[in-house]
Amino acid sequence: KRQGEYPPRAGLLPGPTRGLSVTPRTWVILSDKRGDNGQVDTIVDELGWPVEHKYVHMKPEFVLGKPRYRPSLDHIDLSQSDPLEAPWPDLIITVGRRPSMVALWIRQQSGKRTKIVLVGKPSGYMLDFDLVVASAENQMPPMHNFLPTTLPLMRVDPGEVAAEAEAWKERFSTLKRPLIAMLIGGETNPFIMNRKVADELVATARWVVDELDGTPYITTSRRTMPEVVEVLRQDLPPEAVFFEWRADAEENPYRALLGSADGFIVTADSISMMVEVIYLHKPLAIFPLPGGWLGDIDQQRRSLAHWLFNPRQESAADRLRHRVARGVYYLDVFKVLCATRDFRAFHRLLVEQGLAVWSGQPFREAGAALPDDVGAVVKRIEALF
C-alpha cells in the first residue's frame, strides 16, 4: 500500500501537478483483485501527484456473493481494511462493484464534494460517477461522463516476463522456430467451444507445422472444456508441445511464452490474453469462435448496442443516433443494451488498427503504435478540477 504524505487538513492542496495549479487529495480504493487493481495503478503512475492507497477487505459472504448495490460499508470487514475517515478526499479512483460502493459512501460523508473515477463497467447507475473509463469491448451509452479507451488499462511487467523467459530458455532452445504460442481460453457468453472448435485448433497447429515450418506450443486454461482438452491431447501433431492447465501444476509456461514466442494465436473469448500480447508488442492472431444458436441470438443484442452507442458522428444521422442512445440509457432499466460487451466488434477494431490478424493469415510485425489511452484518461481527470 503506497500512502501519500498529506498534511491533516481537507481540501485541494498546493503543489506542482501536470496541468493543475493545485493537487486534489486523492484516494485509490482497491480490493484483492489484482487484475482490476493493475488498471487503476496504470492511471496512478501517470497522474503526477501523490495518492493514498486504501485497501478494503470483503466479508467472507461477499468475496463471491454480490452485495446490494448502494453507498455502503456493510459488505467490507472494517477491522481488516485501511481506515476510512476524514479528512475526506477530493478525488477517488476505484474499480469494481464492491470498492465503488465504498467510494459512494465516502462521497456521502464528504457532503457530495468528492469526485469519483470508476474504471470498468458500473454495476449501478452510470451517472453516479464523475468519470467512467471502460475499454472498447464494453458497449456503454455515450453519456457526458464516459471515456472509452481502445484497450483495457492492464499492466504487463516486462521484467517479470523476461525473467520467466530466461528460466525457460533452455527448454525452448530445442524447439524449431518460429515458436507459435496457441493460448486456449474457454466458453464464455456468447461463444461456445465444442468438438468442431477442437478439430479446428488441431488444424491450426498443423498449419503452424506445415506452412510456417515451426512449433505450435498449445496451452489450455481454467475454462477450457474437457472435450476440447481430450481432442488436443489425442490429435495434435507430434511436433506440437501441449500444456494442460491444472490448478496443482508446479509450473506454467504462459509467462515464459509471452517473452519467448515469435507469434501468438489466441481464442476469441480471451481479451486479457490478447491485450497482454499487444502490450508486449508481439504478433497476434485471433482465433474466431462460434456462438451456437443462443449465442448468435445474443450477438444480435450486442451488435445493436455497438451500432447504437458507437456512431461515428460524421453526419446529422450519426449525431441523432447519439441523442437516441442517451435516451436509451434512461429507458434500459434491465440493462438489455447498456453495459454489454461486443467481443466481435473489439476483434474487428484490433484488426483494423493493425494490432492483430485473423488466425490463418500471415502474422503482421507488431509495429502499430499503441493508442495513448492513459494520457487521455489523465487529461479527463485533470478536467474534473
Side-chain angles (χ1 to χ4, degrees):
K1 305 165 193 172
R2 292 174 290 181
Q3 298 286 331
E5 295 182 356
Y6 286 108
R9 62 184 180 84
L12 296 168
L13 304 175
T17 59
R18 180 179 56 195
L20 294 176
S21 59
V22 291
T23 301
R25 184 187 298 275
T26 304
W27 288 4
V28 169
I29 298 180
L30 302 175
S31 63
D32 61 350
K33 294 188 176 181
R34 293 185 60 187
D36 287 351
N37 297 351
Q39 295 199 65
V40 173
D41 282 336
T42 298
I43 298 171
V44 168
D45 287 346
E46 295 295 321
L47 275 183
W49 64 79
V51 305
E52 287 186 71
H53 277 64
K54 299 286 189 178
Y55 169 73
V56 290
H57 190 85
M58 299 303 130
K59 292 179 178 177
E61 63 267 33
F62 296 121
V63 171
L64 297 177
K66 289 185 177 182
R68 182 170 66 87
Y69 177 80
R70 67 194 192 284
S72 175
L73 300 183
D74 292 344
H75 58 299
I76 69 171
D77 184 339
L78 293 174
S79 68
Q80 299 189 63
S81 301
D82 286 334
L84 303 171
E85 54 193 26
W88 303 113
D90 307 294
L91 170 67
I92 293 174
I93 306 175
T94 192
V95 60
R97 177 191 188 96
R98 297 159 185 81
S100 71
M101 291 167 56
V102 176
L104 293 171
W105 179 89
I106 292 170
R107 184 167 65 187
Q108 284 185 343
Q109 313 315 304
S110 74
K112 298 189 177 180
R113 178 181 56 82
T114 300
K115 298 183 184 298
I116 303 175
V117 175
L118 177 70
V119 179
K121 296 188 300 180
S123 295
Y125 192 51
M126 183 174 173
L127 296 180
D128 281 344
F129 305 96
D130 297 276
L131 180 62
V132 175
V133 179
S135 50
E137 76 275 14
N138 298 288
Q139 305 308 306
M140 305 284 292
M143 312 301 284
H144 70 277
N145 64 331
F146 175 52
L147 176 62
T149 63
T150 304
L151 302 173
L153 304 178
M154 295 172 57
R155 310 188 75 174
V156 182
D157 188 330
E160 289 183 8
V161 171
E164 283 292 301
E166 182 64 27
W168 285 68
K169 184 177 180 179
E170 186 174 343
R171 279 174 279 189
F172 289 156
S173 66
T174 61
L175 302 178
K176 194 173 185 180
R177 296 283 178 160
L179 175 60
I180 305 300
M182 294 178 59
L183 309 179
I184 316 301
E187 286 196 353
T188 187
N189 202 23
F191 299 120
I192 62 171
M193 190 172 278
N194 54 19
R195 175 62 189 254
K196 184 173 183 295
V197 169
D199 290 340
E200 290 172 353
L201 288 168
V202 169
T204 300
R206 291 200 178 105
W207 172 80
V208 172
V209 174
D210 297 338
E211 298 296 326
L212 302 185
D213 197 25
T215 301
Y217 200 121
I218 297 89
T219 70
T220 62
S221 67
R222 183 194 309 269
R223 294 183 295 107
T224 308
M225 307 301 292
E227 178 186 17
V228 173
V229 171
E230 186 60 28
V231 172
L232 294 174
R233 188 188 296 115
Q234 296 294 329
D235 296 347
L236 282 170
E239 298 86 351
V241 181
F242 179 58
F243 172 80
E244 180 184 348
W245 182 92
R246 298 189 312 275
D248 60 349
E250 293 184 2
E251 292 184 301
N252 187 317
Y254 175 71
R255 283 196 171 274
L257 286 169
L258 285 178
S260 304
D262 302 298
F264 295 81
I265 300 172
V266 181
T267 54
D269 58 289
S270 185
I271 288 175
S272 62
M273 289 194 292
M274 292 179 200
V275 172
E276 287 193 321
V277 171
I278 290 170
Y279 275 135
L280 290 168
H281 302 279
K282 296 295 187 77
L284 169 67
I286 301 170
F287 184 93
L289 292 174
W293 70 272
L294 279 176
D296 289 343
I297 292 173
D298 187 49
Q299 181 59 45
Q300 299 303 312
R301 175 184 65 88
R302 297 168 189 263
S303 297
L304 175 59
H306 177 75
W307 174 84
L308 183 63
F309 295 153
N310 293 275
R312 293 167 296 178
Q313 296 196 77
E314 295 175 354
S315 66
D318 289 337
R319 290 187 288 275
L320 174 61
R321 188 163 52 192
H322 240 181
R323 289 193 289 272
V324 171
R326 293 191 184 101
V328 166
Y329 168 73
Y330 292 104
L331 297 174
D332 192 15
V333 177
F334 298 105
K335 294 187 178 180
V336 174
L337 293 177
C338 295
T340 189
R341 295 198 294 175
D342 190 341
F343 291 84
R344 290 192 170 102
F346 183 69
H347 302 154
R348 292 194 300 270
L349 176 66
L350 296 184
V351 172
E352 290 166 3
Q353 294 203 4
L355 300 172
V357 299
W358 299 110
S359 179
Q361 294 179 341
F363 282 100
R364 178 183 295 154
E365 287 300 319
L370 299 184
D372 183 19
D373 289 328
V374 182
V377 172
V378 170
K379 287 180 181 179
R380 283 292 295 270
I381 292 175
E382 291 174 346
L384 295 176
F385 297 92

